[in-house]
Amino acid sequence: MPKTIILFFLILSLIVGRELFLSGSFATHDDLQVMRLFQMHKCLSDGQIPCRYLSEMGFGYGQPTFNYYSAFPYYVGAFFNLLNLSFLTTVKLLYFLNLFLAGCFFYKFARYHLSNIASIVAASAFILMPYRAVDIFVRGALAEITALTLLPLLLFSYYKLSKEPKTSNALFSSVILFFFLTTHNLTTLISLPLIIVYLLYLYFKNTSFLKHLLLALLLGTGLSGFFIIPVLFERNLINMTGLTSGYLDFRSHFSSLSQIVFDLSWPYEAKPSVFIGVIQILVIILSPLPIIFSKKRSLPILFLLMTLFFLFMAHAKSSFIWESLHFLSFVQFPWRFLGLVMFGSAFLAGSLLDVIPARFAKVSALTIFVVLLISFLPLTSFKSHDLSATDSTILSGKSLVIQSGGGVADYLPISSPMVPSSPADALPSILSGTVDIKKFEKRTNYYALDLEVFSASADVVIPLTYYPNWRVYSDGSFSPLHTTYDNQYGLITVTVPKGKHSLQGFFENTPFRQVGNSFSVISFSLIILLYLKHKYA
Amino acid sequence: MNFARKISPLLFVVLFSLPTFWSLLRPGYFKMHDDMQAMRVYQMDKCVSDFQIPCRWVPDMGYGYGYPQFNYYGPLPYYVMEGFHLLGLGYFDAVKIGFILPLVFGNLAMYLLGRKLFGKAGGFLSAFSYAYLPYRASDLYSRGAMGESWAFIFLPLIIFALLKLTEKPNLKSSAFLALSLAGLFCSHNITSLIFAPFAAILFLVFLSRSKISKLQSIKFSVIGAFWGVAIAGFFLFPVIIEKPFAHVESMLSGYFNYLAHFVTLKQLFLSTFWGYGSSELGNHDDLSFSVGFIQLLLLALALSRSIRKRSPIFITIFALSLAAFFMTHVKSSFIWGRVSLLSYLQFPWRFLTLAGFFTCLGSGFLLINQKLTRIWPLFFSLLVVIFLTNASFFTPSVWYSITEEEKFSGASWDKQMTISIFDYLPIYASHPPTFSAPINPTGQGLSFLNIEAKSNSLSFTVYATASSSLTLPQFDFPGWKITLNNQIITHNHNNELGLINFTLPSGTNQVTAKLTDTPVRVIGNFSTLVFLPLSIYFLISKKYHYA
């Protein structure tokens, strides 16, 4: 990739993301990024690798957040933290990368199909679509925007593989697939049609890369095993109704055509703008041109069809699909499909430019770019800033309590019939018996309780919601104690006999997680060995 | 340009070592199990200011009754830290430097060894695995084990020297081995004890692969080994000979009995659990005994690579790491039961020093003879994965914003004078003191004048109304000499605490008590004085250049 192009996207991202360089924090719908990074950091510090359970979330009753939710961006964040960046700076850096790298990745992808200038315009259109501003500046949807940033890189890796079917390209592709699969389940789900169509397109162009493609898909999926196996098979361990009902019911989030095409309002509250952008609309309208005039017309046709399909999915008319495909309800907001419209329309913008006669190409490119930028710039502001905020103001006192209760209902273990609404007790409570608690310490994957029971026995309630497999061991024994969790928040309850005891609770793996972890380790090993074998040959 | 090419890999190693210690680069101090590091440097400083060199007897430990700390305890790190203190650093900062040095120089040494065995890429991988070895984080940030941390510098150096000896058997190589060995002896002597058989086996494999005269290699290696012992003489000879004069038996019983500290297979190979707690009986220690899941995986992958490219050296390294792991497991207790010397190791998991060393060294084999420019995507991915899964352990659990004055005063000072007091309590004391030592000697009807106390001596003028018994606030220990009016007299230690006691005639007496060197200390000091400069001479001498 030419250095000037990198510089171009860097400068563009700096302009668009200028508010990310202000001090302090900013308001978005999802304001848990700092907290999640903090928890991820704690996970790593406690040696909970991979990170699944966060005992400080769910108002301190614990939540298995990363067993289900977006792991990859937070591992990237953890990497920056370990390089001594604050959580707040890391969040901003991650958002910034989702501007800068989005451009670079899309350019690399588009460059295989389009001319240089068209690729630049396409990548710019990919950065400068209103929905990106919605994700970053309004919703704070780090996971979703990261997945969308990775999507062109994923397709790029497949193209590269089809062009040069060799092991190193397959391994590269598998790693990108791993990034993608562990980033945002919903985006993975809705972008499957796009990925499959693109792969079919590549397959018909060059059938000989199938073997390498299968290797890439297999290793990429295997590498993601630690994350996707529990996502697929442990959904029954959490209360899912909260994720698809009430406000999150997809039925209340369809968009009308006029909202998509004309509505220029920019609400920060509730339903965000679904306007897809002036250029994008124009490009879709004019897309028959590249289809007619271009020699390489199959891709423009595919991308146009896909774009129209994604737009349709955001519209209420598609509700019959939504109603019949039950799993779509987890997408929650039909307008999430706009992320894919962003992808498709950006490519169409590039292919349109490629059919414009050469002498007008530069002028048209510049015009398109300027219109894109001018119409995008007003959207690149956060609703508000708290310039004095730091990690310690966010992660202490009242703010920490609010943060710990953020998204409390999202991944609520089924053991908890009620949704906690106030912070958990700092110490275990005594259900029966007389007990002196000498020490209680809680980590993301561990708790230690030193106590002395004066009565014949005592029932002690640990302020932690049971989630498989929390196990408690008494005085270093090898077999765990029997626990119950028959109370409103499903708190771990254990009967302790008379005397001094030291209890240790460990968050242990379920068979599914073990299998998932093993898949990841095996795939990781295979990738290393195949790579070395390939390089050695 | 040539210099830059030589130095840049080393700079790279230092750069990637940086995150393992940057949490220490701030004022204050941190929590660790062995909370005597600053105190030891402080005591070393008192020795040095009194010109008690080498330092053996420290004044404030043993509750102020004096203590043969550095007669038994690996002094090298403390001399170096004292050096930094003399350059103007505070005690806390000197301790932090003491912990940082092995994190830098250990990794550099590992890089040099790894590069020699597996090439540049392999060397980097070995060094990086080593830099982020969780057990080293346990050693430093949980346990505060200074000596063991320093061992990580000398293990690769010793192997490197042995390798050199099978290539260029000459006095220069011998000197290199001698200095590395002496470094290990004087940092953590028990590690050198358990490392010796491992190093010997690896040496034999090097030897079998060597194309030059094997006899020469053996000859110069033996010279090097004895030379190393001779260099470490000032410390090593007294440790061996004077062991009966301290209560070391307490280091072998109760909590410190090795039987309570075996590690389970899960803790060794599967667990990534991290805690800052202590080692307990059973399999639920709140402390990590891992040499790193990724490091182990890399070793296993290296093994699978070795099937095609047979490498006796790698297979040996792999086998040695397995052997070291085995020694941490309860199944090895039959060996522990037979080799009584091992019980001084206290914790079988101390073999993890060796297991970790060999695991990390072996992991470099994965990238043997690979060019970094060819495999950089894999190389950097491995660095990221190792970093992400281990770097978070390299930070203290609790940071204290305290000053040295606070540490060395009040209740904290009392604690500093008495922690681990049983470790090297002079044998004549039947039990540790319960109150701090008085400043003055004690006796009936005595008045003291001009008391002058130094780290290893005490002199005063005393007026006795009648002949009476005098007890000094010092434990008796071989080498204490009492001079009464310019005449050496005999003394006894017939009291509960085993303090120096003698009879004083009536009248004004000039008394000087001084810890002198016993013959074995004299020989040891002399041995070091001769052989240390000699080894340095051979190491830098152009005449013996490796070419």
Side-chain angles (χ1 to χ4, degrees):
Chain A
M1 203 172 159
K3 285 201 178 78
T4 46
I5 307 278
I6 295 177
L7 193 67
F8 171 77
F9 288 120
L10 190 64
I11 293 169
L12 181 61
S13 314
L14 287 171
I15 296 168
V16 170
R18 68 205 172 281
E19 286 205 358
L20 294 169
F21 294 89
L22 293 174
S23 68
S25 71
F26 36 75
T28 53
H29 293 181
D30 182 348
D31 61 350
L32 295 178
Q33 308 303 359
V34 168
M35 183 66 172
R36 288 199 198 102
L37 281 173
F38 175 53
Q39 294 301 318
M40 177 58 90
H41 185 80
K42 284 202 157 188
C43 262
L44 295 182
S45 304
D46 295 341
Q48 194 198 143
I49 301 166
C51 178
R52 302 183 186 280
Y53 193 89
L54 310 176
S55 61
E56 285 185 4
M57 294 301 286
F59 276 121
Y61 290 110
Q63 193 182 60
T65 316
F66 288 118
N67 205 36
Y68 303 96
Y69 181 75
S70 178
F72 176 68
Y74 297 94
Y75 283 107
V76 178
F79 181 80
F80 292 132
N81 287 150
L82 290 173
L83 291 176
N84 250 3
L85 258 55
S86 74
F87 298 117
L88 211 44
T89 312
T90 304
V91 173
K92 294 174 192 170
L93 180 61
L94 289 175
Y95 281 129
F96 178 77
L97 288 178
N98 274 304
L99 294 168
F100 171 57
L101 292 180
C104 295
F105 292 164
F106 201 93
Y107 173 85
K108 288 208 77 143
F109 164 70
R111 192 66 190 84
Y112 275 140
H113 303 287
L114 306 170
S115 69
N116 186 39
I117 193 156
S119 302
I120 297 174
V121 168
S124 305
F126 189 56
I127 299 181
L128 303 173
M129 168 152 164
Y131 188 69
R132 183 176 298 276
V134 165
D135 262 5
I136 295 179
F137 298 100
V138 178
R139 296 179 54 220
L142 179 62
E144 186 177 314
I145 200 65
T146 306
L148 290 171
T149 298
L150 289 170
L151 189 57
L153 188 64
L154 184 68
L155 298 193
F156 161 80
S157 79
Y158 289 139
Y159 188 89
K160 203 171 143 118
L161 186 62
S162 79
K163 200 90 178 157
E164 296 171 85
K166 55 180 193 183
T167 312
S168 60
N169 285 342
L171 299 180
F172 171 70
S173 176
S174 71
V175 172
I176 307 301
L177 181 63
F178 157 65
F179 293 165
F180 185 69
L181 288 181
T182 52
T183 294
H184 195 234
N185 298 326
L186 308 179
T187 304
T188 306
L189 186 71
I190 62 174
S191 54
L192 274 181
L194 180 72
I195 297 170
I196 291 170
V197 165
Y198 188 70
L199 282 178
L200 286 174
Y201 161 78
L202 292 178
Y203 178 70
F204 284 119
K205 273 186 67 170
N206 173 15
T207 52
S208 69
F209 87 120
L210 190 63
K211 207 178 80 191
H212 285 92
L213 177 66
L214 286 179
L215 180 72
L217 293 177
L218 215 63
L219 285 177
T221 317
L223 208 50
S224 324
F226 80 90
F227 181 72
I228 54 175
I229 298 270
V231 164
L232 291 176
F233 297 104
E234 294 197 332
R235 277 174 302 172
N236 58 338
L237 300 182
I238 52 168
N239 194 332
M240 302 286 287
T241 49
L243 287 175
T244 52
S245 60
Y247 175 74
L248 297 177
D249 190 332
F250 67 88
R251 292 171 191 87
S252 46
H253 296 282
F254 282 114
S255 311
S256 68
L257 189 62
S258 64
Q259 282 175 324
I260 290 173
V261 181
F262 298 118
D263 192 349
L264 292 174
S265 66
W266 190 254
Y268 278 102
E269 303 300 338
K271 190 186 170 184
S273 162
V274 290
F275 178 61
I276 60 169
V278 186
I279 293 290
Q280 282 79 1
I281 293 167
L282 208 66
V283 158
I284 293 170
I285 293 171
L286 295 179
S287 56
L289 289 177
I291 292 170
I292 296 164
F293 292 107
S294 172
K295 282 185 197 103
K296 294 187 275 180
R297 60 186 58 142
S298 44
L299 262 196
I301 294 175
L302 286 179
F303 274 106
L304 177 64
L305 291 178
M306 295 306 293
T307 307
L308 292 176
F309 169 68
F310 295 139
L311 276 174
F312 175 67
M313 288 302 285
H315 191 270
K317 279 275 190 286
S318 66
S319 62
F320 71 96
I321 302 179
W322 289 83
E323 296 288 355
S324 52
L325 296 177
H326 192 66
F327 57 84
L328 276 180
S329 63
F330 291 111
V331 178
Q332 298 165 328
F333 309 117
W335 41 257
R336 281 193 208 263
F337 274 95
L338 292 183
L340 300 170
V341 172
M342 184 161 86
F343 191 97
S345 61
F347 189 86
L348 289 175
S351 35
L352 178 66
L353 201 71
D354 260 356
V355 294
I356 291 176
R359 55 206 156 101
F360 302 121
K362 273 191 179 157
V363 181
S364 323
L366 194 66
T367 317
I368 293 176
F369 178 75
V370 168
V371 176
L372 276 172
L373 187 61
I374 289 175
S375 56
F376 189 75
L377 274 181
L379 315 178
T380 56
S381 284
F382 290 100
K383 185 189 172 201
S384 61
H385 286 267
D386 178 359
L387 294 176
S388 62
T390 60
D391 280 1
S392 44
T393 63
I394 296 171
L395 299 172
S396 65
K398 231 180 202 163
S399 167
L400 181 65
V401 173
I402 295 169
Q403 292 272 319
S404 78
V408 62
D410 283 358
Y411 306 98
L412 190 67
I414 40 161
S415 55
S416 174
M418 304 269 287
V419 180
S421 53
S422 57
D425 292 335
L427 287 177
S429 54
I430 312 303
L431 216 54
S432 69
T434 27
V435 174
D436 180 24
I437 290 175
K438 301 193 188 310
K439 180 190 122 183
F440 180 67
E441 188 199 350
K442 192 167 82 174
R443 297 183 213 147
T444 59
N445 57 345
Y446 173 84
Y447 60 84
L449 171 61
D450 289 355
L451 77 180
E452 185 168 4
V453 178
F454 301 106
S455 46
S457 79
D459 293 327
V460 181
V461 182
I462 313 288
L464 208 54
T465 300
Y466 177 77
Y467 179 76
N469 281 338
W470 268 110
R471 291 210 176 109
V472 57
Y473 299 85
S474 179
D475 307 306
S477 80
F478 280 75
S479 52
L481 291 180
H482 175 71
T483 54
T484 57
Y485 41 89
D486 187 19
N487 49 57
Q488 58 170 350
Y489 298 141
L491 304 183
I492 298 164
T493 310
V494 56
T495 308
V496 189
K498 189 172 178 157
K500 277 188 184 174
H501 297 284
S502 103
L503 304 185
Q504 285 173 299
F506 289 87
F507 179 65
E508 295 180 356
N509 276 333
T510 58
F512 279 124
R513 283 176 224 149
Q514 270 165 353
V515 169
N517 290 351
S518 314
F519 276 145
S520 296
V521 171
I522 292 167
S523 306
F524 179 65
S525 308
L526 282 177
I527 287 176
I528 295 173
L529 292 180
L530 284 173
Y531 186 83
L532 286 173
K533 196 180 158 203
H534 168 75
K535 285 286 167 184
Y536 189 69
Chain B
M1 228 20 230
N2 199 16
F3 178 72
R5 280 175 74 99
K6 254 187 175 163
I7 207 82
S8 58
L10 302 183
L11 284 178
F12 182 57
V13 174
V14 175
L15 192 72
F16 70 56
S17 307
L18 195 68
T20 59
F21 59 79
W22 64 28
S23 60
L24 296 179
L25 306 178
R26 51 181 155 159
Y29 204 53
F30 62 102
K31 186 178 168 181
M32 53 191 135
H33 299 174
D34 182 2
D35 187 24
M36 288 168 75
Q37 304 305 352
M39 178 66 168
R40 292 198 190 105
V41 182
Y42 179 46
Q43 297 299 307
M44 179 61 88
D45 185 53
K46 288 198 169 181
C47 277
V48 170
S49 353
D50 291 349
F51 296 105
Q52 190 205 144
I53 299 170
C55 176
R56 301 185 183 279
W57 189 264
V58 302
D60 298 318
M61 289 184 180
Y63 227 157
Y65 286 103
Y67 200 68
Q69 176 75 28
F70 294 112
N71 205 43
Y72 296 104
Y73 189 82
L76 177 65
Y78 299 92
Y79 282 113
V80 177
M81 285 185 264
E82 166 63 8
F84 280 99
H85 177 67
L86 291 178
L87 288 176
L89 286 180
Y91 296 112
F92 287 171
D93 292 338
V95 170
K96 288 178 224 163
I97 293 274
F99 278 122
I100 290 171
L101 289 177
L103 292 177
V104 175
F105 289 101
N107 302 347
L108 284 171
M110 185 54 128
Y111 168 69
L112 294 177
L113 176 61
R115 187 178 65 177
K116 192 139 185 55
L117 286 172
F118 314 125
K120 220 175 196 178
F124 277 130
L125 188 60
S126 289
F128 200 83
S129 298
Y130 199 53
Y132 289 91
L133 182 67
Y135 182 68
R136 287 178 84 184
S138 256
D139 257 6
L140 199 174
Y141 292 105
S142 290
R143 297 178 47 223
M146 183 68 79
E148 235 179 282
S149 293
W150 276 60
F152 284 99
I153 304 177
F154 300 110
L155 302 183
L157 286 181
I158 291 168
I159 300 297
F160 189 87
L162 290 174
L163 194 55
K164 270 274 180 231
L165 278 159
T166 59
E167 289 173 355
K168 298 249 158 64
N170 57 26
L171 279 176
K172 188 174 182 147
S173 303
S174 300
F176 188 7
L177 177 66
L179 276 174
S180 326
L181 271 179
L184 187 58
F185 287 141
C186 298
S187 299
H188 206 244
N189 51 355
I190 196 80
T191 300
S192 46
L193 195 75
I194 58 171
F195 186 55
F198 287 75
I201 291 170
L202 203 52
F203 174 67
L204 289 180
V205 177
F206 290 155
L207 204 62
S208 71
R209 309 275 297 159
S210 159
K211 290 182 183 68
I212 55 162
S213 162
K214 296 187 177 18
L215 218 59
Q216 287 286 312
S217 295
I218 295 175
K219 188 179 105 189
F220 281 100
S221 305
V222 172
I223 291 176
F226 280 105
W227 198 344
V229 172
I231 294 174
F234 79 99
F235 170 67
L236 216 49
F237 296 173
V239 161
I240 297 165
I241 306 294
E242 295 185 343
K243 200 185 82 179
F245 297 106
H247 275 281
V248 285
E249 79 281 353
S250 72
M251 292 171 71
L252 311 179
S253 56
Y255 176 78
F256 294 110
N257 188 294
Y258 70 88
L259 283 171
H261 300 284
F262 284 111
V263 188
T264 64
L265 286 177
K266 191 183 163 195
Q267 284 176 316
L268 283 176
F269 297 123
L270 293 177
S271 173
T272 55
F273 183 82
W274 184 261
Y276 291 95
S278 56
S279 168
E280 301 293 345
L281 190 65
N283 63 341
H284 299 307
D285 308 86
D286 183 18
L287 185 65
S288 163
F289 297 118
S290 172
V291 302
F293 184 76
I294 300 296
Q295 281 90 334
L296 281 166
L297 188 69
L298 294 181
L299 182 72
L301 294 179
L303 181 72
S304 74
R305 297 272 303 157
S306 78
I307 293 167
R308 189 173 288 189
K309 345 169 83 192
R310 298 226 180 90
S311 163
I313 291 178
F314 171 76
I315 296 293
T316 312
I317 291 171
F318 182 81
L320 290 177
S321 82
L322 281 193
F325 278 120
F326 178 69
M327 290 303 290
T328 68
H329 192 263
V330 68
K331 282 268 193 290
S332 69
S333 54
F334 72 97
I335 301 177
W336 288 81
R338 266 172 221 172
V339 186
S340 60
L341 207 55
L342 278 177
S343 58
Y344 286 98
L345 200 61
Q346 299 171 319
F347 306 110
W349 43 254
R350 279 204 167 132
F351 267 100
L352 288 174
T353 310
L354 307 188
F357 167 70
F358 285 115
T359 299
C360 295
L361 179 60
S363 71
F365 180 77
L366 188 64
L367 301 183
I368 186 168
N369 296 339
Q370 295 279 6
K371 282 223 153 37
L372 265 184
T373 44
R374 249 171 91 78
I375 54 144
W376 63 268
L378 175 69
F379 178 72
F380 282 104
S381 308
L382 291 179
L383 296 201
V384 167
V385 173
I386 294 173
F387 181 76
L388 199 57
T389 50
N390 293 308
S392 57
F393 307 143
F394 286 80
T395 185
S397 61
V398 183
W399 194 263
Y400 300 122
S401 297
I402 59 165
T403 61
E404 285 161 11
E405 289 73 33
E406 287 166 316
K407 187 86 182 168
F408 296 142
S409 64
S412 167
W413 175 241
D414 266 23
K415 223 172 143 186
Q416 290 289 312
M417 289 197 292
T418 52
I419 311 177
S420 311
I421 196 166
F422 237 122
D423 284 2
Y424 308 109
L425 190 66
I427 196 75
Y428 309 127
S430 55
H431 61 81
T434 38
F435 294 101
S436 74
I439 294 161
N440 286 352
T442 47
Q444 295 221 317
L446 303 173
S447 45
F448 295 95
L449 219 65
N450 308 328
I451 296 184
E452 197 189 346
K454 285 188 164 182
S455 63
N456 59 343
S457 70
L458 186 66
S459 66
F460 50 87
T461 310
V462 58
Y463 176 76
T465 48
S467 172
S468 66
S469 161
L470 180 77
T471 307
L472 298 184
Q474 288 287 337
F475 289 124
D476 195 11
F477 192 69
W480 274 109
K481 284 215 172 99
I482 314 299
T483 316
L484 181 68
N485 303 326
N486 296 326
Q487 209 157 18
I488 294 175
I489 60 159
T490 55
H491 63 274
N492 67 64
H493 42 252
N494 301 328
N495 49 62
E496 248 182 286
L497 287 177
L499 304 178
I500 297 168
N501 182 282
F502 54 90
T503 314
L504 206 63
S506 63
T508 308
N509 297 294
Q510 178 63 40
V511 178
T512 306
K514 190 168 170 57
L515 184 80
T516 58
D517 282 335
T518 55
V520 62
R521 286 176 216 155
V522 173
I523 295 169
N525 292 351
F526 186 72
S527 170
T528 303
L529 210 58
V530 172
F531 287 101
L532 179 62
L534 199 65
S535 64
I536 293 171
Y537 168 75
F538 276 103
L539 204 64
I540 56 176
S541 162
K542 283 260 175 11
K543 205 168 125 200
Y544 293 91
H545 199 60
Y546 287 135

